[in-house]
Amino acid sequence: MIRSHPLRSLLTATLLLAGIGGTASATPLQDEGWSWWPEDTNQFSYTYVQARYDYLDLDTSGEADSFSGRALVNVYKPIYVRGEYGLADNRDLDLETSGYLLALGMHGRLADHMDFFVEGGFTSEEAESGPVTVEADGPIVSVGLRGLSPEAKVEGEFRYTYFWLEADNGPNDDFGRFYFDVIWRATD
């Protein structure tokens, strides 16, 4: 693992910006026949759209904001596809980042209100600071748990993702990140 190079600091800044903020999602109406499987009523949906906006104001690095979106489509139980796209901008540091991710996942039930998932995919990141642009891409692997509140309005997702990134103009890097999201269901 390489410990110091521009790619690490730019990706760390991107992930920091993406890690703070609120999340809302819209899942298909389970009781209106949109659910792919009737037994999933009031359970987890692996077909949904999620949007996130983050605003960060730090004394050391100034103001920054980011927008990201995620879509999951359950293609065949228990297999789903996840796609993400994100943009972040820190005007004080003159830093803009963007990236996308595409992954194939599989989920299973641990209990009535608890699921696990495993994903494998590909990510690509680009960071631009002044005249310098760094692009990196590579495979990712994620594992995690999803919990559902008793009234089926709020989900919690705990995820660990490991990245193997290779920069176009720099060294390779690999690292892991923990994520925790609280997802409010905008639909029944």
Side-chain angles (χ1 to χ4, degrees):
M1 183 170 169
I2 299 165
R3 300 215 180 262
S4 63
H5 58 76
L7 176 62
R8 163 72 69 168
S9 60
L10 294 176
L11 289 175
T12 301
T14 301
L15 292 171
L16 175 66
L17 291 175
I20 299 173
T23 302
S25 68
T27 59
L29 295 172
Q30 301 290 341
D31 296 331
E32 297 295 325
W34 289 35
S35 178
W36 287 36
W37 294 274
E39 66 270 15
D40 286 346
T41 300
N42 293 326
Q43 296 298 320
F44 295 99
S45 172
Y46 283 86
T47 299
Y48 66 85
V49 174
Q50 178 178 333
R52 173 187 215 121
Y53 173 77
D54 302 312
Y55 174 77
L56 183 63
D57 186 1
L58 295 176
D59 293 336
T60 57
S61 58
E63 294 182 7
D65 52 0
S66 69
F67 175 79
S68 62
R70 176 197 297 188
L72 265 74
V73 176
N74 206 355
V75 293
Y76 184 77
K77 192 175 187 176
I79 297 172
Y80 63 92
V81 175
R82 174 171 68 112
E84 292 188 13
Y85 183 76
L87 299 167
D89 182 27
N90 185 320
R91 291 165 296 286
D92 295 333
L93 294 178
D94 189 27
L95 173 65
E96 292 182 17
T97 61
S98 63
Y100 70 87
L101 178 144
L102 186 61
L104 183 65
M106 183 179 76
H107 66 93
R109 184 172 295 170
L110 292 175
D112 283 345
H113 295 286
M114 182 73 65
D115 259 15
F116 74 92
F117 59 88
V118 178
E119 297 175 351
F122 179 82
T123 188
S124 179
E125 301 282 336
E126 179 179 289
E128 186 176 333
S129 180
V132 177
T133 300
V134 177
E135 295 180 11
D137 52 34
I140 61 125
V141 173
S142 295
V143 294
L145 298 171
R146 288 178 75 187
L148 181 66
S149 67
E151 65 279 356
K153 290 290 184 187
V154 177
E155 291 184 17
E157 181 179 284
F158 179 73
R159 170 188 303 270
Y160 177 75
T161 302
Y162 201 82
F163 301 82
W164 289 272
L165 297 178
E166 182 176 333
D168 290 342
N169 299 329
N172 298 341
D173 197 8
D174 60 310
F175 58 94
R177 294 279 186 239
F178 287 101
Y179 301 91
F180 180 75
D181 278 326
V182 175
I183 304 168
W184 169 70
R185 290 184 171 194
T187 64
D188 292 336

